[in-house]
Amino acid sequence: MLSKLIQFSIRHRWLVLLATLALGALGAFNFNRLPIDAVPDITNVQVQINTSAPGYSPFEAEQRITYPVETAMAGIPNLENTRSISRYALSQVTVNFDEGTDIYWARQQIAERLSEIKDQLPSGVEPVMGPISTGLGEIYMYSVEAEKDAKKQDGTPYTPTDLRTIHDWTVKSQLRNVEGVSEVNVIGGFVKQFHVQPEPAKLAAYALSLEDVVGALSRNNQNTGAGFIERNGEQYIVRSPGQVGSLEDIAGIVVASRDGIPVRIRDVAEVSLGEELRSGAATLHGEEVVIGTAMMLIGENSRTVSKRVHEKVGIINQSLPEGVHLNTLYNRTTLVDATIETIQKNLLEGAVLVIVILFLLLGNIRAALIAAAIIPLSMLFTITGMV
């Protein structure tokens, strides 16, 4: 059989040569399509369910949130197992599915189960599914920094709160639109908040309670629609815009009336611009910064997606205020390119070594080159099979 194959190849050597070149060209073409990564992602098909529960102890979070959520997941088709963590103010349930399960179908099943137990959870508690990513989905990290002499328009230096605001309202929204990015996480800085701090003595003087203040804030921070007026064939929309937009708007909200005189928020509370409580910070070279992480969508090519993110970061830098810039800390493309370069170097050295050994054994450089040609051809054929 081998003899006949050799004879056929010799008789039709041009056909064999063309077929070899065609397969080699196909392998070279598929090389650009093959999703190459430096680290294999062996994460199973899983969905995380995170629930924020401020004020709940680990025991209460386990009893009132984690247990109902984890119990509701029982019986889902292709379910492998579930595991959970209950911490202060946080409940996390991880649902693992059998290998090969479609991640979007799995998330749909979980969403249906969560809607069924919504009434069983404490008021104000909302379970949220994590991003469609894996433990190796962190493909790009960057920092939001301000130069030491950078000033805002009012002449004051940038604060961690300013950097966080720039990231959340300018950077994050643009990076989430990059193809292949499922989520952008951030740590560091402070989230800007409006703080209303009631003074008990003043509340008591006006016979008011905290509920009165909360109710007034809620009622006076919404737009109201009143339909429309039709005139001469045209419709004029009637509405009452009531959303607050500044500290003065909040301070002017009426809480109650005493002897015909309105009692406003500023009469019973201090209104100021504050910061959200945080549980972590980020520093770089001893200075506090804001660090963001781009998460890759499951099944995407990390090398390609990280390149897109890096290009987008360059575009975003052009739109940031003067003195503020994004600094790349980690780019998966750099790691993958370094890995490919190492492989190419090893293959080249291996091919040269094989040629030398064959030449010493055969005593014929032509025979050695023919035998060594199997190395690149076999790799090109293998790449096609991998794709």
Side-chain angles (χ1 to χ4, degrees):
M1 184 65 182
L2 182 59
S3 177
K4 293 181 179 179
L5 180 61
I6 295 175
Q7 291 177 5
F8 175 84
S9 301
I10 294 175
R11 286 197 303 267
H12 304 86
R13 53 184 177 275
W14 291 110
L15 177 62
V16 173
L17 182 60
L18 289 175
T20 303
L21 292 176
L23 290 175
L26 180 62
F29 171 75
N30 285 327
F31 178 77
N32 296 321
R33 299 174 52 210
L34 185 65
I36 302 174
D37 205 336
V39 182
D41 192 346
I42 58 173
T43 307
N44 52 2
V45 181
Q46 64 174 228
V47 180
Q48 281 191 344
I49 306 171
N50 301 313
T51 308
S52 177
Y56 281 68
S57 67
F59 176 77
E60 292 170 335
E62 172 71 27
Q63 184 183 50
R64 303 191 61 185
I65 302 174
T66 304
Y67 179 76
V69 171
E70 196 167 4
T71 303
M73 299 301 111
I76 295 181
N78 300 334
L79 178 67
E80 186 176 283
N81 58 66
T82 59
R83 64 178 187 272
S84 63
I85 298 175
S86 298
R87 296 177 178 172
Y88 176 76
L90 174 66
S91 166
Q92 183 181 82
V93 178
T94 303
V95 185
N96 296 321
F97 291 85
D98 294 335
E99 191 68 27
T101 303
D102 182 70
I103 184 65
Y104 298 98
W105 177 87
R107 293 173 69 90
Q108 177 63 31
Q109 300 301 309
I110 291 177
E112 294 176 0
R113 297 297 180 97
L114 290 178
S115 64
E116 294 175 0
I117 64 169
K118 190 174 182 180
D119 297 337
Q120 303 177 23
L121 300 177
S123 177
V125 172
E126 187 72 25
V128 178
M129 285 185 286
I132 310 176
S133 187
T134 67
L136 293 177
E138 300 179 355
I139 60 170
Y140 198 94
M141 295 183 67
Y142 57 90
S143 62
V144 185
E145 305 176 43
E147 298 175 1
K148 292 184 178 181
D149 56 348
K151 303 290 184 181
K152 295 186 291 185
Q153 293 182 352
D154 57 5
T156 59
Y158 285 95
T159 64
T161 303
D162 297 325
L163 297 179
R164 179 63 179 265
T165 302
I166 291 173
H167 178 274
D168 291 345
W169 292 93
T170 304
V171 179
K172 184 176 181 178
S173 57
Q174 296 187 60
L175 287 181
R176 292 196 65 174
N177 289 327
V178 176
E179 183 181 356
V181 174
S182 64
E183 182 62 78
V184 177
N185 295 331
V186 60
I187 185 173
F190 294 91
V191 177
K192 188 184 297 184
Q193 287 185 334
F194 292 114
H195 285 181
V196 178
Q197 299 171 304
E199 299 183 25
K202 293 183 178 180
L203 288 175
Y206 288 105
L208 296 173
S209 64
L210 291 175
E211 287 75 13
D212 296 325
V213 176
V214 174
L217 289 170
S218 177
R219 291 191 303 271
N220 290 273
N221 187 29
Q222 56 187 354
N223 293 344
T224 303
F228 60 89
I229 298 175
E230 186 173 348
R231 183 178 180 182
N232 297 329
E234 296 181 347
Q235 291 182 349
Y236 295 87
I237 298 176
V238 180
R239 70 187 188 96
S240 174
Q243 288 188 333
V244 297
S246 64
L247 295 176
E248 291 74 17
D249 292 342
I250 298 175
I253 291 176
V254 176
V255 181
S257 177
R258 295 292 183 266
D259 299 327
I261 301 176
V263 179
R264 303 181 185 277
I265 291 290
R266 61 170 169 262
D267 298 325
V268 296
E270 178 184 353
V271 182
S272 61
L273 195 61
E275 301 159 343
E276 183 185 42
L277 292 176
R278 65 176 184 177
S279 57
T283 60
L284 182 66
H285 306 308
E287 300 290 337
E288 183 166 359
V289 295
V290 175
I291 293 181
T293 304
M295 306 291 293
M296 182 184 68
L297 190 67
I298 290 179
E300 291 287 339
N301 188 334
S302 64
R303 187 186 184 196
T304 303
V305 177
S306 56
K307 280 185 177 179
R308 294 176 189 150
V309 174
H310 188 69
E311 293 172 357
K312 191 67 174 180
V313 166
I315 297 174
I316 295 174
N317 266 324
Q318 300 175 7
S319 63
L320 295 180
E322 186 177 357
V324 179
H325 59 273
L326 303 182
N327 180 33
T328 301
L329 302 179
Y330 168 71
N331 188 344
R332 179 72 66 82
T333 302
T334 304
L335 178 63
V336 176
D337 288 344
T339 303
I340 294 175
E341 183 179 349
T342 301
I343 294 174
Q344 291 175 339
K345 177 175 176 292
N346 292 340
L347 288 176
L348 180 60
E349 292 176 351
V352 173
L353 184 61
V354 168
I355 293 173
V356 172
I357 296 300
L358 289 175
F359 175 72
L360 294 176
L361 292 177
L362 300 177
N364 189 319
I365 187 63
R366 182 180 180 184
L369 291 174
I370 294 175
I374 298 174
I375 298 176
L377 289 175
S378 62
M379 288 208 60
L380 292 174
F381 299 162
T382 303
I383 288 173
T384 300
M386 292 172 69
V387 170

